[in-house]
Amino acid sequence: MEYISIMKRIKLNNTIVLILSVCIVLYLTACGEAKVPDTQVLEETEDLVVVGFSQVGAESDWRNANTQSMKDTFTRENGYELIFSDAQQKQSNQITTIRTFIQREVDYIVLAPVTEDGWDTVLSEAKEADIPVIVVDRQVNVSDDSLFDCWVGSNFRLEGEKVGEWLHRYFVQNEIDEAGVNIVNIKGTLGASSQIGRSGGLSISARKYNWNLLAEAEGEYTQARAREVMTNLLNKYDNINVVYCENDNEAFGVIEAIESAGLKIGPDIADGQIMIVSFDGVSEQAIELAKEGKISCIAECNPLHGPRVRKIIESLEKGVRPEKFEYVDESIYSSIDSIREIQVDEKAYPITILK
Ligand code: AHR
């Protein structure tokens, strides 16, 4: 597949060079004098690797950082032409975009899928066109693994379990009866790997430690939606003491809802505060809120996939098959310095203490 794609590009570039050369020769002949071709002509003969990137949208700080990482990496200076497309959180837009990439005969398709399901048909079309597909961030659930070359991203279930273990350690240390823990889960986009993994991690911990998972609502990974659903939950329940937000932007909305309801935010749930935990740790705002104690714990989700995808493309260019699944190492942030480490499946994870 890689070989064919490389040959296709070489053939295309040769064609461009040939057409341009003919034009230059005709032009020079017509003028009757030798002229140096202008920079435009030189640029078009560059051997750029064309990457079509279908991005989920711009719903969160994480997403914007991820987009920036791709744009900073796939530059002309680095030898790439990036065709960027924002799907505005709609899978149908992503499918249309991938078909456009196929028509344009891009060298690589990079897909950050909105949800896991529904990719078989369009990825089969990419495979038929011999265009390698690299999946980033969330995963795809396909009937045939050969429909994509590889995936790079986070272990979302592990992220969820890390937060669960951190909460358990906190409750034990502070002698909080875990049967009195009433959690609401503000879920991310339903069907996205990050939502499935983080919600799954919470279910495991809730079952294990006997917490009461009071309610779940979809926050769509956005501040506005999370504020709205949290306001509704506060109207319905008067005993919420922990809010599990599946990203930081949701935590911002939840903070607004809790404060507007005149309630207090913080880890001291024995004293009536509502504790918030979340994911990402990308924006300064989230880190500041964690330092203030308004977000008690954040499991890092690293968005800087540009250089990772570049490495994958470089190895495919050399005909070397990359790892099918590449998980990124991630930290956990908190300003509560009494918990220095947590364990998941007997593996220790240190906590980055924020000061
Ligand atoms: O899939 C990764 C998640 O998507 C990030 O946690 C979230 O902020 C983003 O929108």
Side-chain angles (χ1 to χ4, degrees), residues 214-279:
L214 210 57
E216 297 180 316
E218 188 188 0
E220 294 170 356
Y221 287 130
T222 67
Q223 180 166 345
R225 182 77 185 138
R227 184 179 51 234
E228 196 181 316
V229 297
M230 188 63 205
T231 303
N232 295 341
L233 290 169
L234 288 169
N235 286 334
K236 195 161 171 202
Y237 301 98
D238 63 2
N239 56 346
I240 299 169
N241 49 19
V242 179
V243 189
Y244 182 92
C245 301
E246 290 191 353
N247 80 349
D248 288 335
N249 291 79
E250 289 184 347
F252 305 157
V254 163
I255 290 170
E256 287 171 354
I258 296 174
E259 287 180 340
S260 307
L263 299 165
K264 289 200 194 100
I265 298 168
D268 197 355
I269 65 171
D271 196 34
Q273 291 187 336
I274 299 179
M275 179 194 262
I276 297 172
V277 291
S278 83
F279 298 84

Side-chain angles (χ1 to χ4, degrees), residues 144-337:
D144 169 7
D145 253 16
S146 75
L147 293 183
F148 65 97
D149 285 67
C150 59
W151 166 87
V152 60
S154 308
N155 187 334
F156 300 114
R157 180 174 296 259
L158 176 62
E159 289 177 357
E161 288 186 81
K162 283 175 179 173
V163 170
E165 287 305 316
W166 186 92
L167 282 168
H168 172 64
R169 285 288 299 273
Y170 180 85
F171 297 144
V172 171
Q173 261 186 12
N174 291 278
E175 297 176 354
I176 290 166
D177 176 11
E178 293 188 75
V181 170
N182 298 315
I183 297 197
V184 292
N185 181 11
I186 311 298
K187 292 182 167 190
T189 304
L190 298 187
S193 309
S194 41
Q195 178 275 310
I196 296 168
R198 290 168 189 167
S199 296
L202 175 61
S203 309
I204 292 170
S205 306
R207 242 179 286 123
K208 197 159 147 196
Y209 300 121
N210 201 23
W211 305 335
N212 181 19
L213 190 46
L214 210 57
E216 297 180 316
E218 188 188 0
E220 294 170 356
Y221 287 130
T222 67
Q223 180 166 345
R225 182 77 185 138
R227 184 179 51 234
E228 196 181 316
V229 297
M230 188 63 205
T231 303
N232 295 341
L233 290 169
L234 288 169
N235 286 334
K236 195 161 171 202
Y237 301 98
D238 63 2
N239 56 346
I240 299 169
N241 49 19
V242 179
V243 189
Y244 182 92
C245 301
E246 290 191 353
N247 80 349
D248 288 335
N249 291 79
E250 289 184 347
F252 305 157
V254 163
I255 290 170
E256 287 171 354
I258 296 174
E259 287 180 340
S260 307
L263 299 165
K264 289 200 194 100
I265 298 168
D268 197 355
I269 65 171
D271 196 34
Q273 291 187 336
I274 299 179
M275 179 194 262
I276 297 172
V277 291
S278 83
F279 298 84
D280 286 354
V282 169
S283 66
E284 266 182 38
Q285 189 182 352
I287 297 299
E288 277 312 310
L289 287 166
K291 285 184 187 169
E292 284 170 36
K294 287 195 176 175
I295 304 179
S296 293
C297 169
I298 302 175
E300 182 197 10
C301 182
N302 189 303
L304 306 179
H305 294 321
R308 297 181 185 117
V309 175
R310 185 180 176 188
K311 246 193 195 158
I312 290 169
I313 291 180
E314 282 170 357
S315 77
L316 287 170
E317 287 281 293
K318 287 184 209 138
V320 178
R321 186 148 289 287
E323 288 288 311
K324 189 82 183 180
F325 293 92
E326 182 188 332
Y327 287 93
V328 173
D329 283 337
E330 292 168 331
S331 187
I332 310 155
Y333 306 116
S334 177
S335 58
I336 296 171
D337 63 5

Side-chain angles (χ1 to χ4, degrees), residues 10-274:
I10 291 171
K11 234 169 68 190
L12 188 71
N13 283 323
N14 285 345
T15 315
I16 295 171
V17 171
L18 185 72
I19 294 168
L20 288 170
S21 307
V22 171
C23 293
I24 291 164
V25 169
L26 288 175
Y27 173 73
L28 293 179
T29 314
C31 295
E33 57 180 296
K35 279 205 171 174
V36 178
D38 63 21
T39 47
Q40 181 63 34
V41 173
L42 283 177
E43 263 175 28
E44 282 171 12
T45 60
E46 276 171 9
D47 188 14
L48 297 176
V49 176
V50 182
V51 175
F53 176 39
S54 172
Q55 175 62 290
V56 168
E59 75 283 3
S60 64
D61 296 323
W62 187 100
R63 190 63 53 196
N64 295 337
N66 178 246
T67 295
Q68 202 51 51
S69 171
M70 295 292 285
K71 287 186 174 172
D72 289 347
T73 305
F74 293 103
T75 59
R76 293 180 79 85
E77 297 74 53
N78 287 342
Y80 294 93
E81 185 186 329
L82 180 69
I83 309 174
F84 175 80
S85 175
D86 176 336
Q88 306 195 344
Q89 303 246 56
K90 289 198 177 73
Q91 187 185 39
S92 55
N93 289 344
Q94 294 201 289
I95 291 173
T96 307
T97 296
I98 291 172
R99 293 202 166 118
T100 314
F101 290 160
I102 295 170
Q103 270 169 13
R104 290 179 70 169
E105 299 187 345
V106 299
D107 297 310
Y108 294 91
I109 292 173
V110 180
L111 169 65
V114 180
T115 48
E116 289 190 351
D117 292 339
W119 297 104
D120 285 80
T121 307
V122 77
L123 293 189
S124 301
E125 292 166 25
K127 188 180 174 183
E128 256 166 52
D130 279 318
I131 301 176
V133 173
I134 299 158
V135 180
V136 285
D137 173 28
R138 303 170 187 174
Q139 300 200 8
V140 290
N141 181 18
V142 281
S143 53
D144 169 7
D145 253 16
S146 75
L147 293 183
F148 65 97
D149 285 67
C150 59
W151 166 87
V152 60
S154 308
N155 187 334
F156 300 114
R157 180 174 296 259
L158 176 62
E159 289 177 357
E161 288 186 81
K162 283 175 179 173
V163 170
E165 287 305 316
W166 186 92
L167 282 168
H168 172 64
R169 285 288 299 273
Y170 180 85
F171 297 144
V172 171
Q173 261 186 12
N174 291 278
E175 297 176 354
I176 290 166
D177 176 11
E178 293 188 75
V181 170
N182 298 315
I183 297 197
V184 292
N185 181 11
I186 311 298
K187 292 182 167 190
T189 304
L190 298 187
S193 309
S194 41
Q195 178 275 310
I196 296 168
R198 290 168 189 167
S199 296
L202 175 61
S203 309
I204 292 170
S205 306
R207 242 179 286 123
K208 197 159 147 196
Y209 300 121
N210 201 23
W211 305 335
N212 181 19
L213 190 46
L214 210 57
E216 297 180 316
E218 188 188 0
E220 294 170 356
Y221 287 130
T222 67
Q223 180 166 345
R225 182 77 185 138
R227 184 179 51 234
E228 196 181 316
V229 297
M230 188 63 205
T231 303
N232 295 341
L233 290 169
L234 288 169
N235 286 334
K236 195 161 171 202
Y237 301 98
D238 63 2
N239 56 346
I240 299 169
N241 49 19
V242 179
V243 189
Y244 182 92
C245 301
E246 290 191 353
N247 80 349
D248 288 335
N249 291 79
E250 289 184 347
F252 305 157
V254 163
I255 290 170
E256 287 171 354
I258 296 174
E259 287 180 340
S260 307
L263 299 165
K264 289 200 194 100
I265 298 168
D268 197 355
I269 65 171
D271 196 34
Q273 291 187 336
I274 299 179

